[in-house]
Amino acid sequence: MTKKYITAAGDMWDSIAKTQLGSEFYANQLIEINQKYASCITFDYGVELTLPDIANVQAAVDLLPWVT
């Protein structure tokens, strides 16, 4: 099941990643699956975003040797 997040006014990619995914470092993955809003910096209330599957994202991050 795909998880969704409805933005609050003033939300930003990194803050959404931190609160919804556990780390601001997931912001790029969040943007990647929400390309329609990629140019957005600060969100208005009510934008529906798709959240990435953390298990798949974490596996990809673990493959990068420079990420600790």
Side-chain angles (χ1 to χ4, degrees):
M1 182 173 153
T2 304
K3 293 184 180 181
K4 303 288 184 177
Y5 172 73
I6 305 298
T7 61
D11 272 351
M12 298 175 74
W13 292 110
D14 58 344
S15 63
I16 297 168
K18 175 77 173 173
T19 61
Q20 299 302 306
L21 304 172
S23 174
E24 63 274 13
F25 293 111
Y26 292 128
N28 287 337
Q29 290 84 0
L30 185 60
I31 294 167
E32 191 173 300
I33 65 170
N34 292 284
Q35 283 295 308
K36 179 178 178 182
Y37 304 106
S39 64
C40 186
I41 296 172
T42 305
F43 287 94
D44 291 329
Y45 169 80
V47 177
E48 183 178 281
L49 299 175
T50 301
L51 299 176
D53 180 6
I54 292 301
N56 290 337
V57 170
Q58 186 59 48
V61 170
D62 288 343
L63 294 175
L64 302 174
W66 57 87
V67 178
T68 58

